Amino acid sequence: MRTPRDRRDSEQVDVSPQLRECPECHQALHERYHKQRWIVRLDQHVKVVSHFLECGNTACTRPAVVYRPLPEEALAVRGYTFGLEVGARIGELRYRDNLSVSKIRAQLQTESPLS
């Protein structure tokens, strides 16, 4: 069995779309749902709570459009657990320093305060 990660020093980030009102009918947008995910960064684990909004006006021509937060993709690519800076660091070690995969893993484990 794997041991659970220590997330005591983790940070929580709430992200929402920039739009606060429907661009079509100008009514306030309401939260349709939210999701949470963990992102592993070089220095810490981050719990990201994403809020998805929609127009609650039934007479609106765009009632089914869900507005998603763009800042979430600035932290990590959709569908992946590791942050963008982790991928950038791996690329730096691989292509600038010409390290092998095993050496990159060892380097990241020595640098990371998460290990």
Side-chain angles (χ1 to χ4, degrees):
M1 285 182 60
R2 296 185 330 187
T3 57
R5 292 185 173 134
D6 183 15
R7 293 181 171 156
R8 286 181 288 204
D9 295 331
S10 65
E11 173 187 350
Q12 179 171 328
V13 177
D14 286 286
V15 291
S16 297
Q18 290 181 339
L19 288 176
R20 292 293 176 195
E21 65 178 33
C22 178
E24 196 68 28
C25 68
H26 303 291
Q27 296 289 323
L29 294 174
H30 302 284
E31 183 171 344
R32 179 172 183 179
Y33 64 95
H34 67 275
K35 69 170 188 157
Q36 56 186 357
R37 69 188 260 209
W38 287 94
I39 295 175
V40 178
R41 301 185 73 178
L42 288 174
D43 57 346
Q44 67 180 350
H45 295 274
V46 179
K47 180 180 181 180
V48 179
V49 180
S50 302
H51 301 276
F52 295 84
L53 307 179
E54 71 177 352
C55 182
N57 183 3
T58 56
C60 181
T61 58
R62 302 176 73 182
V65 175
V66 177
Y67 299 94
R68 58 185 329 263
L70 294 178
E72 178 185 11
E73 293 184 11
L75 298 172
V77 177
R78 190 182 332 175
Y80 288 89
T81 305
F82 294 98
L84 294 177
E85 75 279 359
V86 175
R89 182 69 179 135
I90 290 170
E92 179 183 31
L93 292 171
R94 176 71 179 127
Y95 296 109
R96 187 191 71 189
D97 299 342
N98 295 320
L99 296 182
S100 65
V101 173
S102 59
K103 289 182 180 180
I104 291 172
R105 181 180 178 147
Q107 179 72 26
L108 289 175
Q109 286 177 337
T110 58
E111 289 177 2
S112 175
L114 299 176
S115 24

